[in-house]
Amino acid sequence: MFNPTIFINEAINKMKKEVNGKAIIAVSGGVDSTVAAKITYDALKDESLAIYVDTGLMRLNETENVRAILDKLGINYKIVDGQETFLSNLKDIEDPEIKRKVIGKTFIELFEIEARKFGAKFLIQGTIAPDWIESGGGLRDTIKSHHNVGGLPEKMGIKIYEPLRDLYKDEVRKLAEFYEIPSKRQPFPGPGLAVRIMGRITRERLDLLKRATDILERGLEREGIIPWQYFVVLLSDRSTGVHGDRRVYGNTVAIRCVDSIDGMTANFTQIPWDIIAGISREITNKIPEINRVVYDITDKPPATIEWE
Ligand code: XMP
């Protein structure tokens, strides 16, 4: 049986011995990096620094939620406001793979500045066993590619340290429960809402998507329906609608809800129509720029979970 207290004590002692220099860690708000940041702080105190880069591509209130958790944990952290930098670097970019690359590169640039300022000699990562264990055909395509600040260690001559690398997700969740931090977050892609906006990313389009996503999340959570992943996608094509007696050419969003074990395959979630219809009405009522909501009924394969 996995015992959080024993694991934590051992991890702290090991880290005290093996990490002899300042250490920095990127936190995303996810369970793994948050737990790793807490252990790091308990081992190294103010010789450690957790960095949360606010990309502006996260969900509504996400930065405030992360701040509240980091405050509660009492660790040494810094929130870097990268919103303008990300928006300007992403300007006019439509290709999904280029979006991902630009986001990864911008993240590393901002993170590197902080690592240098702090004088970090170690980079702590929240890698867990399924991130690196070989599964069948080869090394797993890690879901954390975005936070893979991989190139940084060679460039800056700093060492990687991974306190959770032998753990599985259920064990990390037990650690999160022990620290009283939310342990069951749905998976969220590193590039954030950028891969849920088809085409160009602007502040206005991000804002629409954030509000629609919030309505979906609250609507399902209110009903106690929690699929493995549930989100909204903003399409680039517009469609005609009516507002009062006026025809308007507005935005279309797609609701995507899937159940899955590990994201490699997935089935779309069969949510009762009345609930989906209620959420659709709430979206179009509260966000007049959106006049059409569709529900994605495709499994993976053939579709991927994300639209980009
Ligand atoms: P797909 O869309 O490939 O997604 O079926 C499988 C799982 O991975 C997440 N995902 C990503 N996570 N960076 C990430 O950190 C990415 O670029 C990325 N793309 C997809 C997706 O949300 C799903 O859980």
Side-chain angles (χ1 to χ4, degrees), residues 148-164:
N148 189 353
V149 252
L152 214 55
E154 293 100 74
K155 206 171 152 201
M156 288 184 55
I158 56 180
K159 296 192 193 99
I160 292 192
Y161 189 85
E162 298 169 319
L164 310 179

Side-chain angles (χ1 to χ4, degrees), residues 96-97 100 140-147 186-192 195-196 228-229 231 256 258 260 262-266 300 303-308:
E97 280 317 300
R100 281 188 169 76
R140 236 189 95 143
D141 178 16
T142 164
I143 282 181
K144 296 212 179 62
S145 54
H146 164 59
H147 286 303
Q186 60 162 319
F188 189 71
V195 292
R196 296 178 181 167
W228 189 76
Q229 209 169 358
F231 57 88
R256 178 78 163 141
V258 296
S260 174
D262 55 8
M264 309 296 258
T265 60
K300 172 183 181 177
T304 50
I305 295 176
E306 303 288 346
W307 276 44
E308 277 197 341

Side-chain angles (χ1 to χ4, degrees), residues 170-296:
D170 57 319
E171 296 170 326
V172 184
R173 289 218 169 99
K174 288 204 176 107
L175 295 180
E177 281 158 21
F178 177 83
Y179 288 130
E180 296 179 359
I181 54 183
S183 62
K184 288 204 187 70
R185 260 169 119 254
Q186 60 162 319
F188 189 71
L193 299 180
V195 292
R196 296 178 181 167
I197 294 183
M198 306 294 100
R200 283 186 194 180
I201 297 164
T202 61
R203 189 184 297 284
E204 294 70 32
R205 302 191 78 216
L206 259 171
D207 180 58
L208 291 185
L209 183 58
K210 285 183 188 180
R211 285 155 60 205
T213 302
D214 190 58
I215 292 172
L216 173 74
E217 289 185 350
R218 285 157 178 268
L220 289 182
E221 285 158 13
R222 202 164 46 226
E223 298 291 341
I225 297 178
I226 313 291
W228 189 76
Q229 209 169 358
Y230 46 111
F231 57 88
V232 178
V233 180
L234 178 62
L235 308 197
S236 46
D237 289 327
R238 290 177 169 239
S239 77
T240 306
V242 277
H243 258 278
D245 52 7
R246 260 184 329 121
R247 286 168 79 82
V248 288
Y249 201 45
N251 290 286
T252 302
V253 294
I255 294 179
R256 178 78 163 141
C257 301
V258 296
D259 288 300
S260 174
I261 302 290
D262 55 8
M264 309 296 258
T265 60
N267 292 109
F268 78 86
T269 312
Q270 301 202 21
I271 293 177
W273 282 127
D274 56 331
I275 292 173
I276 277 297
I279 290 170
S280 165
R281 270 193 294 273
E282 193 177 338
I283 290 176
T284 50
N285 283 343
K286 291 194 173 149
I287 315 175
E289 297 92 331
I290 296 175
N291 61 358
R292 193 176 298 269
V293 179
V294 298
Y295 191 71
D296 183 347

Side-chain angles (χ1 to χ4, degrees), residues 52-68:
Y52 171 84
V53 178
D54 181 2
T55 61
L57 306 170
M58 309 302 269
R59 288 165 296 189
L60 212 60
N61 305 327
E62 191 124 20
T63 301
E64 290 71 24
N65 293 341
V66 170
R67 188 194 297 280

